[in-house]
Amino acid sequence: MGQRRRSRKKLTAYVVGATLVVAAGVSTPVALASQNSGGKGAGASGEQQDFAYAAHESKVPESVLMAVAYQESQWDVHQGHNTSGGYGPMSLTDVTASMLADGGSGAAGRSDLSAMAADPSLHTLTAAAKLIDAPAADVRTDRRTNIRAAAALLASYEKKLQGDTPADPAKWYAAVARYSGSTDQAAASAFADRVFTTMKSGAHRTTTQGQQVELASQPSLRGDTGGLSALHLKHTSTSDSDCPAQLDCQSAPAATANYQVANRPADGMKIDYIVIHDTETSYQTAIDGFQNPASGSAANYVMRASDGAVTQSVADKDIAFHAGNYWLNMHSIGIEHEGYAAHGATWYTQVQYENTAELVTYLAAKYHIKLDREHIIGHDNVPGPIDSLVSGMHWDPGPYWDWNQFMDLLGAPTDEGTHGVGPVGTAVTIAPDFASNQQTAKVCPADDPTGATTACTDQTAPANSLYVRTAPSATAPLVSDPYVHADGAAGTDEINDWSTTVSAGQQFVVADQQGDWTAIWYGGQKVWFDNPDGANTVRARHVKILTTSGDTAAPLYGEAYPDASEYPAGLSADSAPAFTKYAFPAGQAYVATAAPANRDDFYPANGTTRPTETYIQGAGTVYTIQYNHRLALVDSSTVTQS
C-alpha cells in the first residue's frame, strides 16, 4: 500500500516489535498509514498510524488524541450501541431520527428523546464530519475517517479556547473536558483528568479488532486547567451522597417501597458484597424506575455510560432491593450500569469501568469488602434464593463485562500469578484474555431491549467467559443444569444461559486434566473447558478449599437465616430451605475465599408494632462458595477446610 513520509513536530514514533509507540518532545519523520484504514505500515498497526495521520493533519498532539480515544472506547470501534449513539474509536455521537422514532440502538428506553434531538453533544459526529468535508456515513463506519474527524473537532475546541493549536499537550485540558460532552463541571473535569492520567501513565492494548496500540508515558505531564472557566459548566454534584469526592455524584432517592431503612453496618449487618448490574434501559429511565414505588426494586447507585456520572438512589446504610435475593441484599451494595448486556462490549464505556472502580475501591475500604470475585460479583453470580427462583435469576452484566480490566483497576487482577494448571485438588482462577477470547453466543430479540436484534443470530465477540462441557472435546454437549434445562437436556450457547459458562476471576478446584482440556468441580459435576497450555487459568492463591465432612453430600442454600428458635417472640421466622437439585457431593471440592459468616435476618422498624429495627444473628455460620456460574452457601458444620 502506498505510504507518504511527513515531518511532524514535537512527536515521534518508534517501532517496538509490531507496535508503534508514541513519544513526546522529539522532531523526526514518521511513516504515515495510507488512506485505507485497514492498512498497516512498517510494523505499526493500522489504527496506530491512523492516530498519527489525524494528529498531524489537525495539529493535535497525538498523545491527546490517543488518550481521548482510550477513555472513550479503549481504542475499540463502537457502532452506535450506546446512550449517546457513539461511533468509532472516538465515540463521536450521532443520535439519529430513526433512533428516536423506533427506539433502536442508542435511544432505547429513553424518556427524554425530544431533548436528545436538540442536544449538540449527541451530534458531534455530524459537526466533526463537516470540519473535514467527509460524509457522515464515512465517519460512522470508517476508522481512519472517524479519528480524523474527531481530531478536527478537538482542534476546533482548542482554537476557540486558545486561539491556536499548541504543541504542548498540557494546554489541551479544557478542550478535552469539552469533548466529554458533559455540561457538569465535575463530570467534564473528571473525564479530562482521566485522559491526562492515561497520558502520564501510558497505555497499551490489543483491541477487539486485533489492533495493537500503545501510548508511551509522559510522567511529568500536568494539565493546565486555566481554560475551564471559559466552558461555563454547571455545578450539579450534591453532597448528600456516599460517593467519593472525586466522582460527579448526585442524589435521587428511590421510592421507600423499593428499599428498607437500616443502619448498616452499625446495626450488625456486614456489607460483604458489591453486585455489578446493567440497567437494560437508559440511565434516566433506571433512576425514574427506582423512584416508582410500583417497580419493587432499586440499586444503591446508577452509573451513566457517556461520562461516568453517578446517581445514588439508596444510601449505603439501607437495604436496596436489587439482587433478587433478600439475604444477599442485606449484605451487599448494588451498582447499576447504563447499558445492555447483549451489546456490552460497545455499551460499557471506559469511563464507567474507571468511575465504578473508584467507587468500589472506596466502598471496599470503607466496609472491609474483599476484592475478589466471590465478593465483587455480577448479578449473574447471585444465587437464586429458593428452588422456584433459580432459573429466572438475571444474567447481567453478561459475558461482555470486562472483569479482567475491572479487577485490575481495583488492584486485584484476575490473572495475577502463573498461567497454568496445578495438580488435581488445587485451585485455579479463570483468566482468559478478554480481547482475544472470542466466544460465540446466540442472541435473540428477547435478549436485546434495544430492538437492534430482529432475529436469533450468532454473535462472536470478546468475552469474559468460557463454555463448560461434559467431556474434553469441543463437540461434547454443554453442561446441563437441573434448574435451567428440562429433563437433563444439554446446555445451550444462548447468551442468557448463564449455567454453561465460567467467567474471569471465578475460582474452582481442578478435577482432571487431559491434553488441552481442564476439568473442574462445577455445580456438582465434573466439567471441562478448553485450556491449551493453561492459557485460560492461573494457579489460585490464598483460597480455602472445602470438602464435605463425611461421606454424604452437604446441602446448599441460596439464603442463610437463623434457626426458627433464634427469632425473638412476635417475629415470624424466615425459612431458607436447602436446594433440592443442587448439592455439594462427597469427593468433590469447592473454593471459598473468606471465613464463614453468621446466619442472620433483619426486620425494619415499621413505626407501630416495631418502633425500632430488629437484627437477628444466629449461632450457625455458612461459607460462600463458587459453586457453578453462581455462588452458593454451605453450612460450615458440614464441610472441612483444607
Side-chain angles (χ1 to χ4, degrees):
M1 296 180 182
Q3 294 184 346
R4 293 171 290 176
R5 296 185 68 86
R6 298 282 184 89
S7 177
R8 285 193 299 129
K9 295 181 179 179
K10 300 298 183 185
L11 294 173
T12 189
Y14 55 95
V15 175
V16 178
T19 302
L20 182 110
V21 182
V22 179
V26 182
S27 298
T28 188
V30 175
L32 299 177
S34 73
Q35 289 287 357
N36 183 341
S37 64
K40 294 186 178 182
S45 73
E47 185 163 357
Q48 187 96 51
Q49 294 194 25
D50 290 343
F51 284 116
Y53 184 94
H56 173 80
E57 180 182 45
S58 291
K59 297 181 173 60
V60 179
E62 190 171 342
S63 58
V64 171
L65 186 62
M66 292 184 67
V68 166
Y70 185 82
Q71 286 300 321
E72 290 287 2
S73 69
Q74 279 201 293
W75 301 319
D76 285 337
V77 175
H78 284 182
Q79 299 172 328
H81 294 301
N82 53 45
T83 50
S84 55
Y87 289 87
M90 301 304 301
S91 204
L92 288 167
T93 62
D94 191 19
V95 177
T96 65
S98 63
M99 288 181 184
L100 303 183
D102 64 17
S105 62
R110 295 201 65 140
S111 59
D112 52 351
L113 299 184
S114 59
M116 289 173 67
D119 185 351
S121 72
L122 299 179
H123 302 280
T124 60
L125 187 146
T126 52
K130 291 177 182 177
L131 291 173
I132 62 168
D133 194 26
D138 289 354
V139 179
R140 289 190 197 99
T141 58
D142 183 74
R143 187 186 68 219
R144 161 72 69 89
T145 308
N146 183 270
I147 296 171
R148 288 182 58 228
L153 188 65
L154 259 175
S156 73
Y157 293 162
E158 185 70 4
K159 288 173 185 175
K160 186 172 182 179
L161 290 163
Q162 300 274 2
D164 61 1
T165 53
D168 182 1
K171 299 291 186 182
W172 288 73
Y173 184 94
V176 169
R178 183 176 175 187
Y179 192 94
S180 72
S182 179
T183 59
D184 178 78
Q185 180 164 318
S189 296
F191 177 80
D193 287 342
R194 285 188 298 274
V195 169
F196 274 75
T197 297
T198 299
M199 284 191 281
K200 287 178 65 174
S201 61
H204 60 88
R205 185 168 183 263
T206 301
T207 71
T208 56
Q209 291 78 38
Q211 297 281 305
Q212 293 185 54
V213 187
E214 184 163 350
L215 173 64
S217 63
Q218 301 176 58
S220 62
L221 180 65
R222 299 289 183 274
D224 181 354
T225 62
L228 272 179
S229 59
L231 298 179
H232 305 294
L233 299 169
K234 301 174 185 177
H235 295 270
T236 60
S237 297
T238 57
S239 58
D240 56 343
S241 69
D242 296 315
C243 295
Q246 63 269 34
L247 292 186
D248 171 25
C249 196
Q250 304 175 51
S251 178
T256 55
N258 299 335
Y259 69 96
Q260 286 179 340
V261 174
N263 192 26
R264 305 184 303 172
D267 53 13
M269 273 186 294
K270 291 181 62 181
I271 301 174
D272 289 324
Y273 309 91
I274 292 174
V275 183
I276 302 297
H277 304 255
D278 78 40
T279 60
E280 298 295 307
T281 68
S282 76
Y283 177 72
Q284 190 59 50
T285 300
I287 295 166
D288 293 345
F290 295 163
Q291 294 183 314
N292 179 357
S295 73
S297 65
N300 299 84
Y301 298 91
V302 189
M303 183 75 64
R304 189 158 62 198
S306 59
D307 60 3
V310 188
T311 291
Q312 184 167 22
S313 294
V314 178
D316 294 352
K317 71 180 184 66
D318 297 328
I319 302 172
F321 300 157
H322 65 97
N325 179 315
Y326 182 75
W327 187 83
L328 198 127
N329 285 341
M330 285 172 53
H331 298 288
S332 67
I333 288 172
I335 306 175
E336 288 277 4
H337 294 77
E338 182 178 35
Y340 296 85
H343 296 296
T346 53
W347 265 92
Y348 305 137
T349 61
Q350 185 64 15
V351 66
Q352 280 182 312
Y353 284 118
E354 296 198 7
N355 278 13
T356 303
E358 290 270 8
L359 178 58
V360 170
T361 300
Y362 167 83
L363 295 172
K366 185 175 182 180
Y367 301 115
H368 310 291
I369 301 168
K370 283 182 70 71
L371 293 175
D372 63 36
R373 287 281 283 112
E374 281 190 12
H375 297 87
I376 311 300
I377 62 176
H379 198 176
D380 54 336
N381 304 132
V382 174
I386 56 175
D387 278 350
S388 62
L389 299 178
V390 172
S391 63
M393 294 295 286
H394 288 201
W395 58 277
D396 61 297
Y400 306 137
W401 176 266
D402 188 350
W403 281 111
N404 289 346
Q405 180 194 183
F406 185 64
M407 296 304 291
D408 191 55
L409 288 169
L410 298 180
T414 55
D415 59 354
E416 184 176 27
T418 303
H419 273 274
V421 182
V424 169
T426 62
V428 291
T429 303
I430 306 300
D433 176 71
F434 184 77
S436 62
N437 182 45
Q438 300 279 327
Q439 297 290 335
T440 300
K442 189 177 297 299
V443 180
C444 294
D447 304 319
D448 182 10
T450 68
T453 303
T454 57
C456 292
T457 57
D458 286 339
Q459 176 173 283
T460 301
N464 62 46
S465 58
L466 302 167
Y467 287 115
V468 289
R469 300 183 180 275
T470 57
S473 167
T475 60
L478 293 170
V479 169
S480 178
D481 185 283
Y483 288 101
V484 179
H485 310 114
D487 302 321
T492 73
D493 63 356
E494 293 182 20
I495 196 169
N496 63 0
D497 191 347
W498 49 266
S499 70
T500 59
T501 62
V502 290
S503 63
Q506 293 182 317
Q507 295 175 313
F508 299 93
V509 177
V510 177
D512 203 350
Q513 182 78 13
Q514 191 174 124
D516 287 342
W517 292 78
T518 298
I520 54 174
W521 299 119
Y522 174 98
Q525 307 173 61
K526 180 179 175 179
V527 305
W528 297 83
F529 61 91
D530 193 19
N531 191 23
D533 298 320
N536 291 323
T537 54
V538 295
R539 299 185 185 190
R541 299 182 294 174
H542 313 302
V543 300
K544 305 174 192 298
I545 295 177
L546 305 181
T547 55
T548 59
S549 298
D551 296 330
T552 58
L556 294 175
Y557 303 84
E559 297 177 298
Y561 298 122
D563 292 337
S565 61
E566 295 178 300
Y567 283 78
L571 290 181
S572 58
D574 280 328
S575 174
F579 292 124
T580 61
K581 298 181 181 180
Y582 286 158
F584 187 146
Q588 296 188 12
Y590 292 87
V591 170
T593 63
N598 284 92
R599 295 178 176 271
D600 58 358
D601 204 351
F602 176 77
Y603 289 80
N606 62 16
T608 54
T609 60
R610 289 194 307 276
T612 59
E613 64 178 50
T614 304
Y615 172 68
I616 306 111
Q617 180 172 289
T621 60
V622 292
Y623 280 105
T624 297
I625 63 169
Q626 189 68 65
Y627 180 62
N628 49 22
H629 188 90
R630 299 188 184 277
L631 304 176
L633 305 173
V634 61
D635 194 296
S636 61
S637 67
T638 64
V639 293
T640 300
Q641 177 188 334
S642 61

